[in-house]
Amino acid sequence: MSASVTSEITRPSATFAGFFRFREVDGVFVVTNAQGDFILLTREEFKGFVEGTIERGTEMYERLKRGNFLRAEFDVPAAVERLKRRKRFVHNGPNLHMIVVTLRCNETCVYCHASRANMDAVHTDMSKETAEKAVDLILQTPSQYVTIEFQGGEPLVNFGVVQHLIEYAEAKNREAGKHLEFTMVSNLALMDEEKLAWLLDHKVQICTSIDGPEHLHDKQRKLIASSAFKVAVHWIKRINQAYGERGLDTSLYHVEALLTTTREALSRGREIVDTYEALGCRALFLRPIDPFGFMERTAQRVEYPREEFLSFYRDTTDYIIQKNLQGAQILERYAAIFLTKILVGEDPNFLDIRSPAGAGISAIAYNYDGLVFAGDEARMLHETGDDTFLLGRLGELTWNQMVSHPTIRALVLASNLDGRPDCVNCAYNPYCGACPVHSYKTQGSMVGRMRQSTVCMVHKGIQDYLFTKIRQNDPATMEVFRRWTINRTREHFLHVPE
């Protein structure tokens, strides 16, 4: 306990409170238990809770009982069911499979995480044979839901292999019987009507990148002889139009975009929100920049202290909430992930914010040359010369060898928050997660030192912000938060087993 709290507590009770963790946020104590229930206590209430002086039958006692915070009233079956509900992803098996069909890319981004190659580097294209081997391995997963995500480089550069892989996977899945989904992350600059029609015919979900208003996007994402922003905007609108032409609900089926928050973006949060809203995007992910790929070369231009990021996050999310109160339908994805865990008691399975993390047990990355990695960040490290998280090669690596690989075991242990120093005693333990590959890259250890971690700083800062809003309990804001926790599945993109 902090010194200020300890000095006020005369004699902690050994029999009143059940297991709990706590964090003081703006003078209020966020108290959580192992299964993720929370309660907000004033300083006086917290003192009474720890000392065990709260009388049975009082409103405060009943609140603690409902939250399962009392040792004598502890409901073991309820706690078990709540914890099982939060951790059900552990038993699914790998469900996200990221395939790099090429490193070639027609855009040059100042922060490129994918270590893109020039357009003449055809040796970085995946072959059809390698693509088939990837599918053969992927469909061995015990998970009934399988997402194959095409990445690059720019996947449209090697569109023939994308087509071949999808057709091959569709054919093989008639026997495997998975709920199969395809997604593609593209800058859209090589899109045309023929490619779009084919992708929509095969139910491929399309995602792109938008870094903000035109001047910012084009400064960070260079496209020869054209505006990367104008091209992306044209195809975002055209794809959304095509969804409508196919009879889909365009409030549900629309192109989403990813933001990379650079130093220059920190002063343009509201412009970025307005840009996304104008494009019809329903989600904005205010992510801090990652340390992978070309970031090592450009950090001096684009990096920033995380305190500045958190200030940007709070101001921009306040603005997003304000827009929602005025009738807009756009959410901040970090907030949605944490709020789903805090308010609903479910884990939305975002792989880098869960315990254990998804690297290896939920996400696998397949490089253009057939090398297999425990997640995309692991593949990015390979492109800069570090093969710590390499699992093997397609055609040589069996499913059992992959999922029981010592590296995956190490990643699971390292990302289990109940075994990480600092994390084990943190009030946000039930809602949080740590990426061991990020810890390895930035601190030289998969476990890392969380009190010095930029990821930890961001996660705590965002949750402090959200709990401040929850404590204020403004009905309109809480209704916005409730909407952000609703997961609407887009069934059109699923290939359902026959």
Side-chain angles (χ1 to χ4, degrees):
M1 295 186 187
S2 67
S4 61
V5 177
T6 304
S7 64
E8 296 177 13
I9 293 175
T10 56
R11 188 175 182 180
S13 170
T15 59
F16 185 78
F19 175 83
F20 71 94
R21 304 177 176 102
F22 74 95
R23 178 174 174 83
E24 188 174 1
V25 180
D26 292 336
V28 172
F29 290 84
V30 179
V31 182
T32 65
N33 54 26
Q35 62 269 24
D37 300 292
F38 76 90
I39 190 167
L40 304 181
L41 302 177
T42 65
R43 181 171 293 271
E44 190 62 31
E45 289 169 340
F46 182 73
K47 182 175 182 291
F49 170 62
V50 175
E51 293 179 344
T53 58
I54 297 172
E55 295 289 336
R56 182 185 293 271
T58 62
E59 189 273 338
M60 185 72 255
Y61 187 95
E62 292 303 315
R63 282 176 60 202
L64 291 166
K65 180 181 177 180
R66 287 195 300 271
N68 227 357
F69 285 98
L70 300 177
R71 185 180 294 267
E73 306 273 7
F74 194 74
D75 187 337
V76 174
V80 169
E81 285 304 311
R82 191 160 174 82
L83 193 58
K84 284 171 61 178
R85 184 181 176 191
R86 285 185 179 277
K87 300 292 186 180
R88 58 188 175 188
F89 58 78
V90 171
H91 304 287
N92 292 341
N95 63 296
L96 174 60
H97 301 267
M98 295 162 282
I99 299 185
V100 178
V101 292
T102 183
L103 287 185
R104 292 193 289 157
C105 188
N106 56 323
E107 285 190 5
T108 303
C109 303
V110 296
Y111 47 72
C112 182
H113 298 138
S115 300
R116 51 89 68 191
N118 292 330
M119 288 293 284
D120 59 356
V122 294
H123 63 282
T124 69
D125 287 357
M126 178 177 279
S127 68
K128 292 181 178 180
E129 293 74 20
T130 299
E132 290 179 5
K133 291 176 183 177
V135 171
D136 291 341
L137 191 62
I138 288 168
L139 292 180
Q140 292 180 50
T141 179
S143 176
Q144 286 303 301
Y145 288 85
V146 176
T147 297
I148 295 177
E149 181 178 289
F150 297 101
Q151 296 187 3
E154 169 51 52
L156 292 179
V157 169
N158 197 12
F159 190 61
V161 167
V162 171
Q163 292 176 296
H164 181 76
L165 189 150
I166 289 173
E167 291 171 347
Y168 183 79
E170 289 172 340
K172 295 287 287 189
N173 193 48
R174 294 189 186 104
E175 181 179 345
K178 306 292 185 183
H179 288 77
L180 186 60
E181 185 174 3
F182 300 105
T183 65
M184 176 184 287
V185 181
S186 169
N187 61 39
L188 302 178
L190 296 175
M191 186 66 76
D192 57 40
E193 288 292 337
E194 184 178 353
K195 290 189 183 78
L196 175 59
W198 193 94
L199 291 168
L200 295 184
D201 286 343
H202 290 265
K203 300 183 178 181
V204 179
Q205 198 169 170
I206 302 168
C207 177
T208 191
S209 295
I210 294 291
D211 282 353
E214 183 174 352
H215 62 279
L216 178 58
H217 185 91
D218 285 345
K219 183 176 180 179
Q220 298 182 169
R221 304 178 65 89
K222 302 290 186 181
L223 181 63
I224 295 175
S226 187
S227 162
F229 181 84
K230 284 187 170 67
V231 170
V233 167
H234 166 78
W235 283 108
I236 289 172
K237 293 179 177 179
R238 175 66 190 106
I239 295 167
N240 289 341
Q241 179 187 11
Y243 287 151
E245 292 169 353
R246 290 176 178 243
L248 300 175
D249 180 357
T250 54
S251 68
L252 186 58
Y253 296 96
H254 49 265
V255 178
E256 292 295 358
L258 292 173
L259 168 74
T260 299
T261 307
T262 58
R263 182 187 303 168
E264 188 162 345
L266 296 182
S267 62
R268 303 180 183 276
R270 300 189 177 207
E271 288 182 70
I272 291 169
V273 174
D274 291 341
T275 300
Y276 269 65
E277 184 186 18
L279 290 173
C281 297
R282 300 301 179 97
L284 179 55
F285 203 161
L286 301 177
R287 307 173 301 159
I289 203 158
D290 281 329
F292 301 99
F294 292 164
M295 260 298 297
E296 289 183 334
R297 308 178 196 174
T298 59
Q300 288 186 334
R301 294 170 54 192
V302 297
E303 258 287 11
Y304 41 79
R306 289 302 180 264
E307 294 88 346
E308 294 181 17
F309 171 82
L310 287 171
S311 177
F312 157 83
Y313 180 88
R314 291 188 293 266
D315 180 74
T316 306
T317 305
D318 278 346
Y319 185 61
I320 295 172
I321 293 171
Q322 178 185 335
K323 299 283 280 188
N324 276 262
L325 296 177
Q326 296 169 352
Q329 296 289 326
I330 183 170
L331 62 83
E332 198 290 306
R333 198 165 295 283
Y334 252 136
I337 292 166
F338 284 123
L339 288 169
T340 301
K341 299 183 184 196
I342 294 166
L343 300 178
V344 182
E346 293 186 353
D347 197 305
N349 203 24
F350 183 75
L351 303 184
D352 289 343
I353 309 179
R354 57 170 238 196
S355 172
I361 60 171
S362 293
I364 304 291
Y366 307 81
N367 211 24
Y368 67 92
D369 55 4
L371 295 179
V372 182
F373 297 91
D376 200 38
E377 291 86 357
R379 180 196 66 83
M380 294 173 190
L381 282 180
H382 162 76
E383 295 298 340
T384 55
D386 189 334
D387 283 342
T388 298
F389 302 99
L390 172 65
L391 303 178
R393 183 181 292 276
L394 290 169
E396 302 170 3
L397 184 68
T398 67
W399 180 264
N400 286 338
Q401 288 172 339
M402 181 174 71
V403 296
S404 62
H405 198 284
T407 298
I408 289 183
R409 295 183 184 185
L411 287 165
V412 171
L413 290 172
S415 62
N416 178 6
L417 299 190
D418 290 328
R420 292 176 70 106
D422 295 336
C423 297
V424 68
N425 292 317
C426 179
Y428 297 151
N429 175 297
Y431 319 124
C432 208
C435 174
V437 182
H438 187 284
S439 296
Y440 169 82
K441 171 66 175 174
T442 57
Q443 297 186 321
S445 162
M446 284 191 286
V447 175
R449 301 172 297 281
M450 286 299 98
R451 65 188 66 193
Q452 298 170 348
S453 166
T454 57
V455 170
C456 179
M457 181 184 295
V458 168
H459 287 179
K460 279 183 176 176
I462 291 173
Q463 290 176 88
D464 284 348
Y465 167 84
L466 294 174
F467 271 108
T468 297
K469 294 291 187 184
I470 292 169
R471 175 179 61 83
Q472 292 168 351
N473 199 30
D474 173 68
T477 299
M478 294 304 295
E479 174 59 22
V480 171
F481 283 178
R482 186 195 66 80
R483 291 202 306 267
W484 288 6
T485 64
I486 297 173
N487 180 29
R488 298 177 64 192
T489 58
R490 296 189 277 187
E491 300 293 343
H492 168 78
F493 291 123
L494 285 178
H495 297 254
V496 181
E498 297 174 355

